[in-house]
mmCIF file of all heavy atoms in Angstrom:
data_model
loop_
_atom_site.group_PDB
_atom_site.id
_atom_site.type_symbol
_atom_site.label_atom_id
_atom_site.label_comp_id
_atom_site.label_asym_id
_atom_site.label_seq_id
_atom_site.Cartn_x
_atom_site.Cartn_y
_atom_site.Cartn_z
ATOM 1 N N HIS A 1 20.918 7.477 12.882
ATOM 2 C CA HIS A 1 20.105 6.344 12.523
ATOM 3 C C HIS A 1 18.606 6.858 12.786
ATOM 4 O O HIS A 1 18.371 7.334 13.916
ATOM 5 C CB HIS A 1 20.333 5.121 13.404
ATOM 6 C CG HIS A 1 19.663 3.869 12.879
ATOM 7 N ND1 HIS A 1 19.548 2.707 13.608
ATOM 8 C CD2 HIS A 1 18.914 3.650 11.661
ATOM 9 C CE1 HIS A 1 18.844 1.811 12.975
ATOM 10 N NE2 HIS A 1 18.438 2.355 11.835
ATOM 11 N N LEU A 2 17.810 6.727 11.819
ATOM 12 C CA LEU A 2 16.435 6.984 12.017
ATOM 13 C C LEU A 2 15.632 5.569 11.912
ATOM 14 O O LEU A 2 15.679 4.954 10.962
ATOM 15 C CB LEU A 2 15.860 7.983 10.860
ATOM 16 C CG LEU A 2 14.255 8.040 10.837
ATOM 17 C CD1 LEU A 2 13.658 8.585 12.155
ATOM 18 C CD2 LEU A 2 13.913 8.929 9.645
ATOM 19 N N VAL A 3 14.974 5.191 13.077
ATOM 20 C CA VAL A 3 14.136 4.127 13.125
ATOM 21 C C VAL A 3 12.647 4.653 13.113
ATOM 22 O O VAL A 3 12.386 5.533 13.940
ATOM 23 C CB VAL A 3 14.383 3.289 14.258
ATOM 24 C CG1 VAL A 3 13.333 2.047 14.334
ATOM 25 C CG2 VAL A 3 15.762 2.709 14.282
ATOM 26 N N TYR A 4 11.767 4.084 12.277
ATOM 27 C CA TYR A 4 10.427 4.704 12.311
ATOM 28 C C TYR A 4 9.395 3.536 12.048
ATOM 29 O O TYR A 4 9.733 2.432 11.656
ATOM 30 C CB TYR A 4 10.278 5.626 11.040
ATOM 31 C CG TYR A 4 10.544 5.092 9.747
ATOM 32 C CD1 TYR A 4 9.482 4.554 8.934
ATOM 33 C CD2 TYR A 4 11.736 4.791 9.221
ATOM 34 C CE1 TYR A 4 9.662 3.830 7.732
ATOM 35 C CE2 TYR A 4 12.096 4.257 7.957
ATOM 36 C CZ TYR A 4 10.953 3.821 7.230
ATOM 37 O OH TYR A 4 11.117 3.198 6.041
ATOM 38 N N ALA A 5 8.207 3.879 12.578
ATOM 39 C CA ALA A 5 7.144 2.918 12.572
ATOM 40 C C ALA A 5 6.483 2.720 11.206
ATOM 41 O O ALA A 5 5.957 3.801 10.672
ATOM 42 C CB ALA A 5 6.002 3.197 13.619
ATOM 43 N N SER A 6 6.443 1.568 10.554
ATOM 44 C CA SER A 6 5.584 1.299 9.528
ATOM 45 C C SER A 6 4.452 0.427 9.988
ATOM 46 O O SER A 6 4.240 0.445 11.183
ATOM 47 C CB SER A 6 6.291 0.665 8.293
ATOM 48 O OG SER A 6 5.512 0.465 7.213
ATOM 49 N N SER A 7 3.848 -0.396 9.199
ATOM 50 C CA SER A 7 2.787 -1.254 9.625
ATOM 51 C C SER A 7 2.604 -2.408 8.719
ATOM 52 O O SER A 7 2.790 -2.403 7.523
ATOM 53 C CB SER A 7 1.502 -0.273 9.621
ATOM 54 O OG SER A 7 0.351 -1.050 9.801
ATOM 55 N N SER A 8 2.055 -3.420 9.271
ATOM 56 C CA SER A 8 1.675 -4.704 8.546
ATOM 57 C C SER A 8 0.604 -4.346 7.530
ATOM 58 O O SER A 8 0.352 -5.086 6.524
ATOM 59 C CB SER A 8 1.253 -5.777 9.480
ATOM 60 O OG SER A 8 0.058 -5.439 10.205
ATOM 61 N N SER A 9 -0.131 -3.350 7.869
ATOM 62 C CA SER A 9 -1.326 -2.851 6.905
ATOM 63 C C SER A 9 -0.749 -2.541 5.464
ATOM 64 O O SER A 9 -1.584 -2.511 4.507
ATOM 65 C CB SER A 9 -2.131 -1.663 7.503
ATOM 66 O OG SER A 9 -1.267 -0.562 7.508
ATOM 67 N N VAL A 10 0.571 -2.337 5.333
ATOM 68 C CA VAL A 10 1.010 -1.881 3.921
ATOM 69 C C VAL A 10 0.914 -3.206 3.013
ATOM 70 O O VAL A 10 0.899 -3.020 1.704
ATOM 71 C CB VAL A 10 2.544 -1.531 3.990
ATOM 72 C CG1 VAL A 10 2.663 -0.297 4.761
ATOM 73 C CG2 VAL A 10 3.398 -2.654 4.414
ATOM 74 N N TYR A 11 0.680 -4.328 3.514
ATOM 75 C CA TYR A 11 0.540 -5.590 2.680
ATOM 76 C C TYR A 11 -0.882 -5.597 1.897
ATOM 77 O O TYR A 11 -0.997 -6.302 0.905
ATOM 78 C CB TYR A 11 0.695 -6.764 3.492
ATOM 79 C CG TYR A 11 2.128 -6.988 3.890
ATOM 80 C CD1 TYR A 11 2.623 -6.742 5.113
ATOM 81 C CD2 TYR A 11 3.248 -7.471 2.936
ATOM 82 C CE1 TYR A 11 3.938 -6.891 5.369
ATOM 83 C CE2 TYR A 11 4.485 -7.555 3.250
ATOM 84 C CZ TYR A 11 4.878 -7.287 4.523
ATOM 85 O OH TYR A 11 6.160 -7.315 4.877
ATOM 86 N N GLY A 12 -1.750 -4.792 2.391
ATOM 87 C CA GLY A 12 -3.080 -4.630 1.712
ATOM 88 C C GLY A 12 -3.699 -5.889 1.276
ATOM 89 O O GLY A 12 -3.940 -6.743 2.087
ATOM 90 N N ILE A 13 -4.078 -5.991 -0.067
ATOM 91 C CA ILE A 13 -4.738 -7.154 -0.486
ATOM 92 C C ILE A 13 -3.893 -8.378 -0.879
ATOM 93 O O ILE A 13 -4.305 -9.293 -1.399
ATOM 94 C CB ILE A 13 -5.689 -6.789 -1.594
ATOM 95 C CG1 ILE A 13 -4.853 -6.237 -2.808
ATOM 96 C CG2 ILE A 13 -6.858 -5.753 -1.243
ATOM 97 C CD1 ILE A 13 -5.684 -5.877 -4.164
ATOM 98 N N ASN A 14 -2.609 -8.217 -0.541
ATOM 99 C CA ASN A 14 -1.771 -9.364 -0.813
ATOM 100 C C ASN A 14 -2.133 -10.537 0.101
ATOM 101 O O ASN A 14 -2.317 -10.380 1.374
ATOM 102 C CB ASN A 14 -0.211 -8.886 -0.349
ATOM 103 C CG ASN A 14 0.711 -10.090 -0.436
ATOM 104 O OD1 ASN A 14 0.511 -11.027 -1.134
ATOM 105 N ND2 ASN A 14 1.713 -9.907 0.419
ATOM 106 N N GLU A 15 -2.297 -11.699 -0.451
ATOM 107 C CA GLU A 15 -2.688 -12.828 0.187
ATOM 108 C C GLU A 15 -1.637 -13.945 0.398
ATOM 109 O O GLU A 15 -1.888 -15.124 0.857
ATOM 110 C CB GLU A 15 -3.956 -13.446 -0.500
ATOM 111 C CG GLU A 15 -5.237 -12.606 -0.434
ATOM 112 C CD GLU A 15 -6.422 -13.215 -1.050
ATOM 113 O OE1 GLU A 15 -6.294 -14.408 -1.533
ATOM 114 O OE2 GLU A 15 -7.517 -12.585 -1.015
ATOM 115 N N ARG A 16 -0.483 -13.707 -0.046
ATOM 116 C CA ARG A 16 0.644 -14.520 -0.026
ATOM 117 C C ARG A 16 1.101 -14.568 1.423
ATOM 118 O O ARG A 16 1.519 -13.482 1.972
ATOM 119 C CB ARG A 16 1.835 -14.175 -0.858
ATOM 120 C CG ARG A 16 2.970 -15.064 -0.927
ATOM 121 C CD ARG A 16 3.917 -14.664 -1.925
ATOM 122 N NE ARG A 16 5.299 -15.409 -1.834
ATOM 123 C CZ ARG A 16 6.257 -15.217 -2.617
ATOM 124 N NH1 ARG A 16 6.254 -14.168 -3.515
ATOM 125 N NH2 ARG A 16 7.353 -16.023 -2.539
ATOM 126 N N MET A 17 1.197 -15.706 2.127
ATOM 127 C CA MET A 17 1.523 -15.870 3.443
ATOM 128 C C MET A 17 2.702 -16.738 3.709
ATOM 129 O O MET A 17 2.901 -17.753 2.951
ATOM 130 C CB MET A 17 0.335 -16.486 4.271
ATOM 131 C CG MET A 17 -0.868 -15.540 4.309
ATOM 132 S SD MET A 17 -0.728 -14.265 5.461
ATOM 133 C CE MET A 17 -2.318 -13.369 5.095
ATOM 134 N N PRO A 18 3.604 -16.533 4.653
ATOM 135 C CA PRO A 18 3.606 -15.248 5.548
ATOM 136 C C PRO A 18 4.042 -14.043 4.667
ATOM 137 O O PRO A 18 4.775 -14.193 3.622
ATOM 138 C CB PRO A 18 4.543 -15.733 6.587
ATOM 139 C CG PRO A 18 5.509 -16.594 5.945
ATOM 140 C CD PRO A 18 4.813 -17.397 4.990
ATOM 141 N N PHE A 19 3.688 -12.857 5.134
ATOM 142 C CA PHE A 19 4.133 -11.643 4.618
ATOM 143 C C PHE A 19 5.547 -11.466 4.626
ATOM 144 O O PHE A 19 6.255 -11.582 5.803
ATOM 145 C CB PHE A 19 3.424 -10.360 5.189
ATOM 146 C CG PHE A 19 1.970 -10.343 5.023
ATOM 147 C CD1 PHE A 19 1.176 -9.798 6.032
ATOM 148 C CD2 PHE A 19 1.246 -10.879 3.961
ATOM 149 C CE1 PHE A 19 -0.193 -9.666 5.840
ATOM 150 C CE2 PHE A 19 -0.080 -10.794 3.827
ATOM 151 C CZ PHE A 19 -0.816 -10.276 4.779
ATOM 152 N N SER A 20 6.205 -11.178 3.522
ATOM 153 C CA SER A 20 7.644 -11.018 3.477
ATOM 154 C C SER A 20 7.954 -9.581 3.069
ATOM 155 O O SER A 20 7.242 -8.993 2.225
ATOM 156 C CB SER A 20 8.352 -11.944 2.545
ATOM 157 O OG SER A 20 9.665 -11.667 2.247
ATOM 158 N N THR A 21 9.070 -9.005 3.579
ATOM 159 C CA THR A 21 9.517 -7.621 3.062
ATOM 160 C C THR A 21 10.056 -7.727 1.646
ATOM 161 O O THR A 21 10.061 -6.589 1.013
ATOM 162 C CB THR A 21 10.634 -7.073 3.934
ATOM 163 O OG1 THR A 21 11.708 -8.108 3.993
ATOM 164 C CG2 THR A 21 10.213 -6.918 5.461
ATOM 165 N N SER A 22 10.099 -8.924 1.060
ATOM 166 C CA SER A 22 10.421 -8.924 -0.346
ATOM 167 C C SER A 22 9.236 -8.941 -1.237
ATOM 168 O O SER A 22 9.349 -8.878 -2.500
ATOM 169 C CB SER A 22 11.292 -10.202 -0.629
ATOM 170 O OG SER A 22 12.531 -10.143 0.046
ATOM 171 N N ASP A 23 8.079 -9.008 -0.618
ATOM 172 C CA ASP A 23 6.797 -8.993 -1.402
ATOM 173 C C ASP A 23 6.525 -7.600 -1.867
ATOM 174 O O ASP A 23 6.899 -6.533 -1.274
ATOM 175 C CB ASP A 23 5.532 -9.493 -0.488
ATOM 176 C CG ASP A 23 5.714 -10.987 -0.155
ATOM 177 O OD1 ASP A 23 6.475 -11.635 -0.803
ATOM 178 O OD2 ASP A 23 5.054 -11.272 0.850
ATOM 179 N N ASN A 24 5.768 -7.566 -2.973
ATOM 180 C CA ASN A 24 5.220 -6.277 -3.507
ATOM 181 C C ASN A 24 4.196 -5.718 -2.507
ATOM 182 O O ASN A 24 3.222 -6.474 -2.150
ATOM 183 C CB ASN A 24 4.641 -6.413 -4.940
ATOM 184 C CG ASN A 24 3.983 -5.249 -5.527
ATOM 185 O OD1 ASN A 24 2.969 -4.649 -5.064
ATOM 186 N ND2 ASN A 24 4.712 -4.604 -6.548
ATOM 187 N N VAL A 25 4.190 -4.406 -2.254
ATOM 188 C CA VAL A 25 3.142 -3.837 -1.398
ATOM 189 C C VAL A 25 2.557 -2.548 -1.964
ATOM 190 O O VAL A 25 2.432 -1.487 -1.344
ATOM 191 C CB VAL A 25 3.754 -3.562 -0.016
ATOM 192 C CG1 VAL A 25 3.997 -4.774 0.871
ATOM 193 C CG2 VAL A 25 4.964 -2.730 -0.074
ATOM 194 N N ASP A 26 2.178 -2.631 -3.177
ATOM 195 C CA ASP A 26 1.682 -1.548 -3.929
ATOM 196 C C ASP A 26 0.147 -1.506 -4.038
ATOM 197 O O ASP A 26 -0.451 -0.725 -4.768
ATOM 198 C CB ASP A 26 2.190 -1.579 -5.433
ATOM 199 C CG ASP A 26 3.640 -1.319 -5.544
ATOM 200 O OD1 ASP A 26 4.191 -0.699 -4.552
ATOM 201 O OD2 ASP A 26 4.235 -1.608 -6.522
ATOM 202 N N HIS A 27 -0.539 -2.333 -3.170
ATOM 203 C CA HIS A 27 -1.974 -2.334 -3.191
ATOM 204 C C HIS A 27 -2.465 -2.202 -1.831
ATOM 205 O O HIS A 27 -3.276 -3.140 -1.356
ATOM 206 C CB HIS A 27 -2.551 -3.623 -3.870
ATOM 207 C CG HIS A 27 -2.082 -3.710 -5.357
ATOM 208 N ND1 HIS A 27 -0.845 -4.412 -5.558
ATOM 209 C CD2 HIS A 27 -2.632 -3.348 -6.380
ATOM 210 C CE1 HIS A 27 -0.729 -4.363 -6.916
ATOM 211 N NE2 HIS A 27 -1.721 -3.760 -7.349
ATOM 212 N N PRO A 28 -2.273 -1.000 -1.120
ATOM 213 C CA PRO A 28 -2.957 -0.743 0.215
ATOM 214 C C PRO A 28 -4.417 -0.583 0.086
ATOM 215 O O PRO A 28 -4.985 -0.232 -1.039
ATOM 216 C CB PRO A 28 -2.266 0.552 0.589
ATOM 217 C CG PRO A 28 -1.887 1.194 -0.581
ATOM 218 C CD PRO A 28 -1.426 0.113 -1.601
ATOM 219 N N ILE A 29 -5.120 -0.875 1.078
ATOM 220 C CA ILE A 29 -6.583 -0.696 1.127
ATOM 221 C C ILE A 29 -7.165 0.211 2.132
ATOM 222 O O ILE A 29 -8.352 0.140 2.437
ATOM 223 C CB ILE A 29 -7.297 -2.169 1.093
ATOM 224 C CG1 ILE A 29 -6.915 -2.839 2.430
ATOM 225 C CG2 ILE A 29 -7.061 -2.870 -0.076
ATOM 226 C CD1 ILE A 29 -7.630 -4.212 2.640
ATOM 227 N N SER A 30 -6.287 1.043 2.661
ATOM 228 C CA SER A 30 -6.636 2.119 3.636
ATOM 229 C C SER A 30 -5.735 3.264 3.512
ATOM 230 O O SER A 30 -4.554 2.968 3.056
ATOM 231 C CB SER A 30 -6.749 1.646 5.060
ATOM 232 O OG SER A 30 -5.358 1.409 5.597
ATOM 233 N N LEU A 31 -6.112 4.459 3.798
ATOM 234 C CA LEU A 31 -5.269 5.631 3.637
ATOM 235 C C LEU A 31 -4.136 5.545 4.788
ATOM 236 O O LEU A 31 -3.008 5.957 4.499
ATOM 237 C CB LEU A 31 -6.045 6.888 3.795
ATOM 238 C CG LEU A 31 -5.140 8.194 3.706
ATOM 239 C CD1 LEU A 31 -4.663 8.215 2.219
ATOM 240 C CD2 LEU A 31 -5.874 9.411 4.068
ATOM 241 N N TYR A 32 -4.528 4.878 5.879
ATOM 242 C CA TYR A 32 -3.453 4.669 6.856
ATOM 243 C C TYR A 32 -2.327 3.906 6.328
ATOM 244 O O TYR A 32 -1.108 4.112 6.452
ATOM 245 C CB TYR A 32 -4.006 3.954 8.165
ATOM 246 C CG TYR A 32 -2.961 3.446 9.079
ATOM 247 C CD1 TYR A 32 -2.249 4.360 9.822
ATOM 248 C CD2 TYR A 32 -2.790 2.102 9.329
ATOM 249 C CE1 TYR A 32 -1.244 3.904 10.552
ATOM 250 C CE2 TYR A 32 -1.852 1.654 10.223
ATOM 251 C CZ TYR A 32 -1.111 2.509 10.952
ATOM 252 O OH TYR A 32 -0.194 2.122 11.756
ATOM 253 N N ALA A 33 -2.649 2.769 5.717
ATOM 254 C CA ALA A 33 -1.637 1.789 5.055
ATOM 255 C C ALA A 33 -0.878 2.670 3.873
ATOM 256 O O ALA A 33 0.432 2.479 3.819
ATOM 257 C CB ALA A 33 -2.410 0.569 4.452
ATOM 258 N N ALA A 34 -1.628 3.453 3.144
ATOM 259 C CA ALA A 34 -0.932 4.255 2.137
ATOM 260 C C ALA A 34 0.068 5.251 2.686
ATOM 261 O O ALA A 34 1.110 5.456 2.191
ATOM 262 C CB ALA A 34 -2.012 4.931 1.245
ATOM 263 N N SER A 35 -0.313 5.823 3.847
ATOM 264 C CA SER A 35 0.574 6.738 4.471
ATOM 265 C C SER A 35 1.834 6.127 4.965
ATOM 266 O O SER A 35 2.979 6.563 4.960
ATOM 267 C CB SER A 35 -0.171 7.527 5.628
ATOM 268 O OG SER A 35 -0.328 6.614 6.774
ATOM 269 N N LYS A 36 1.692 4.833 5.514
ATOM 270 C CA LYS A 36 2.788 4.128 5.914
ATOM 271 C C LYS A 36 3.773 3.665 4.868
ATOM 272 O O LYS A 36 5.005 3.669 4.948
ATOM 273 C CB LYS A 36 2.399 2.934 6.806
ATOM 274 C CG LYS A 36 1.823 3.289 8.219
ATOM 275 C CD LYS A 36 2.857 4.111 8.993
ATOM 276 C CE LYS A 36 2.453 4.511 10.394
ATOM 277 N NZ LYS A 36 3.480 5.288 11.038
ATOM 278 N N LYS A 37 3.260 3.149 3.707
ATOM 279 C CA LYS A 37 4.058 2.925 2.601
ATOM 280 C C LYS A 37 4.727 4.145 2.073
ATOM 281 O O LYS A 37 5.882 4.053 1.669
ATOM 282 C CB LYS A 37 3.105 2.265 1.515
ATOM 283 C CG LYS A 37 3.826 2.056 0.073
ATOM 284 C CD LYS A 37 4.943 1.158 0.248
ATOM 285 C CE LYS A 37 5.593 0.914 -1.147
ATOM 286 N NZ LYS A 37 6.873 0.122 -1.086
#
């Protein structure tokens, strides 16, 4: 098993609350977020 750190920053400009793992996360707004995605 590999467990790894991602980040809430992957949600980017998504404004739908609360953030769900079923949401699209294709719009990061930092390179950090893009690296985690």
